Amino acid sequence: KLCGYLNKLGIKGPIKTWKSRWFIYDENKCHLLYYRTAQDVNPLGSIDLSSASFDCKVENGEGVFEIRTPSRVFTLKAISKQAMMYWLQQLQIRRWEFCNTQSRFPLHEGVEVQWNSILLACFYVRCFYTDVTDNEDFLPPVKTPTEAVGLKAASLPAPQTSTALQNISLKHPWTEIQNTVYNICGSKQLSGDNGNIFSFNEFQEHSDNPNEEQEAEEGIQENGRMEPRMNWVRKARWMNSAFPGLPDELPRERNPMDKGSVLQQRILTLTEEVKSQKELVKLLHKALEAAQQEKRVSSMYLTAAEDKDRLELVRHKVRQIADLTSRLEALEQEKKELEQMLTLRDSHIQELKEHVQLLMEKNHAKQEVIMALTEQMARDLSDPLQEANTITAETLYKQQEEIEHLKDDIDAYKTQNQFLNSEIHQVTRLWTSVAENEKALLMKCACLQARNCQMESKYLTVLWKLQEAVPGLPSSHAELVRSLIQEALQWEVKEEVEEALSFELTSVLCPFSEYDEYGFMTVPDYEVEDWKLLAKIQALEIKSNNLWSQEVVEKPLRDRWNSTGELSPSAELKSLIRNGIPVEHRQRVWRWIVNRHCSRLPDHYQRLLRQSKSTEHPACRQIELDLPRTLTNNKHFSSPTSQLIPKLRRVLLAFSWHNPAIGYCQGLNRLAAVALLVLEDEESAFWCLVHIVENLMPADYYSDTLITSQVDQRVFKDFLSEKLPRLMAHFKQYQIDVSLITFNWFLVAFVDSLVSDILLRVWDAFLYEGTKVIFRYALAIFKYNEEEILRIHDSVEIYQYLRFFTRMITDGRKLMNIAFNDLNPFPMKLLRNRRSMHREELERELHELEQIKAAYVKERAEQGP
């Protein structure tokens, strides 16, 4: 049994005292309980060791060590260094056993599982201390000091303090009374003539509260005897009221001498009050006389019969006022003169004080010089050889003492270092175990939340199907469906996360906010009322996919990106970019891609801005018209007062002057806006736009005729027929022209078509590999929704579905696998050949069209008006 006497440091304001306490370890709760004596039944408090750390500092003194809990620090002192090291080592072992045997989440697997866990924990403890003790850097096993620790120490008398009251806990008076009465009674029941029978078994045990500041709660158990219990309660209250340390009973303990001094003090106070009252009466008398005089004068003024008399009285008053004014001025002048004299005297006194101080300092300095000369003379007169021998002996003795002290300090620090090494080693292993458990819980929470999102999505899907069938339902059922739909639309998609969760938990169970990291809306704001439920379903599916892939896919990918140093073109980097760049690395990678293909000219962007300010570009009006229509689903562009709107305007104007052949084309605003959101710097966004238009896209892609854009639509139809023949045949059957849908995809690289998370992954690969990525993802989108499209057998419904079906894609990983794995092979040489072939055909068709147009104009001209 781990128990024994220790001194505990008690701090009450500025007063610090050591109090002797009996400590015993509670194995069930991993608490260290402390009592005043070993015979007490109720503890004064407890220390939670499950989350505590231990420390011993040499400078604190011999036998002093600390137990640090999250709430406070307990300072304890053992009778010897050996006892201290034994306590520390045993507390380490007990903490390790408890942390490995007690599960935070209780298992209901039966007694066999619990015994297996206990045996496994004991095996861990044995292995841990076997490994540690083999190393000389760790503390070896300490021999048990039987005279200070264990049950044998309970039979020894408690260590005595300097005063009897010093060891009493004033914070727990009721507990002290209980323990004292129990010790007196010897656990026996007492009986009296009035039936006053009581036992301490009637009281509940002290509650295990780790906070020493709370008082122990007392309670009485039911035993069928009401009257004896009430008698004991009354007796206990009387004992508590008679406790000599309570301040309420101090007036009853005063002796007659104290009463006399109090009465004398009251007499002096009353005398002072009488004097002040007399002074007040005198002032009131003077004020009364002045008021009576004023009253007489006023009466004379009112009783005067003629105006002359009244005028004379007024003149008399004026003369009095003038006289008083002159006297007041004279008194003020005198006051000023007196103040000046007082100031002069004060300055003179201060000068005299400084002079006296200077003389005293000179005198003190002279005395010191005299003493120093006297000592030097005495040393000169003594024997120089004897003095040297004496100094040498004293110096040698002091050095030997210092060496011994330093050896003791080295041994103490070595022991302290060994203990701290074992403490750090054990705490590190405990932390590793807790981290692994936390990781498992994070995975479990993410799976449960993903499953919950899937269930909510399925429920909303059922409501959506019922919404379509509302016209055919009875009125009562239709009303119930509408109420369920309204309730579902009012659900908050985002969830609150407690502050106590760690950073990893927050990243996995992150609140699903209305906007993502770049300001895009996570839930589409459809204008049609019937599609709002569809938007909610889409948001839940996106969240579910993110949660499923967070630990399995995203975290390993993020670790690979974190380990990537300087970027250089390689197959590994290509694979990483195709899988998507994490948010924290995307800006750096995009800058590297743009700088690799564009040679920035110094001050080129600033020169273009100055040119746009001095001269208005012809495309300026069209740019102003397109600015409010840019990325309306992004909070950074939805408001006219947004800070990114002026930046976007400057980027587009600079590009219009940089490339006069194109100037400005509708669609460039969205390309520049995405670059601004990721790169943040407008000059970097400008060069990114230059890289897209001049390096990635073919020539004439954004010209007036958009000839290359039309060529890409014909090339895409060829690929669609080859890769997805069933779908292309379905489109031909219902006369669907896919270029009406896909033309905008190619022109702006899927901006405003895909959800933001998938869009930015497409852009990651697009900026690195080029336009081939747009063809891959365009085919993958149709492949992703192929079965849904084949089930529609109406051309109008197909067009309606194609309008928004890209926004319904929620699984970005699946789309990426289709684009880069299922659609292979996809050689770039084939793409260039197809472009060249269709460009020749389109130019020939345009040439024929121009000839027909010219012939028609000529014919109209010949016919005349």
Side-chain angles (χ1 to χ4, degrees), residues 348-359:
H348 183 62
I349 290 171
Q350 185 65 29
E351 290 176 359
L352 290 175
K353 287 182 178 180
E354 293 177 356
H355 185 63
V356 170
Q357 182 68 24
L358 182 61
L359 292 176

Side-chain angles (χ1 to χ4, degrees), residues 603-613 653-655 657-658 686:
D603 201 36
H604 179 64
Y605 179 70
Q606 300 299 329
R607 182 174 56 80
L608 294 174
L609 290 182
R610 289 192 295 269
Q611 185 177 0
S612 64
K613 289 180 180 180
L653 288 174
F655 181 81
W657 286 107
H658 170 78
F686 164 78

Side-chain angles (χ1 to χ4, degrees), residues 56-85:
C56 62
K57 297 180 180 178
V58 177
E59 55 268 20
N60 289 343
E62 184 178 357
V64 180
F65 62 97
E66 294 178 350
I67 300 178
R68 298 177 179 271
T69 65
S71 58
R72 60 172 296 184
V73 178
F74 295 87
T75 304
L76 307 178
K77 184 177 181 180
I79 61 173
S80 63
K81 179 181 176 181
Q82 181 187 2
M84 176 192 72
M85 300 311 299

Side-chain angles (χ1 to χ4, degrees), residues 151-167:
L151 295 176
K152 184 179 178 181
S155 60
L156 301 176
Q160 298 296 324
T161 55
S162 58
T163 60
L165 293 177
Q166 181 179 348
N167 208 35

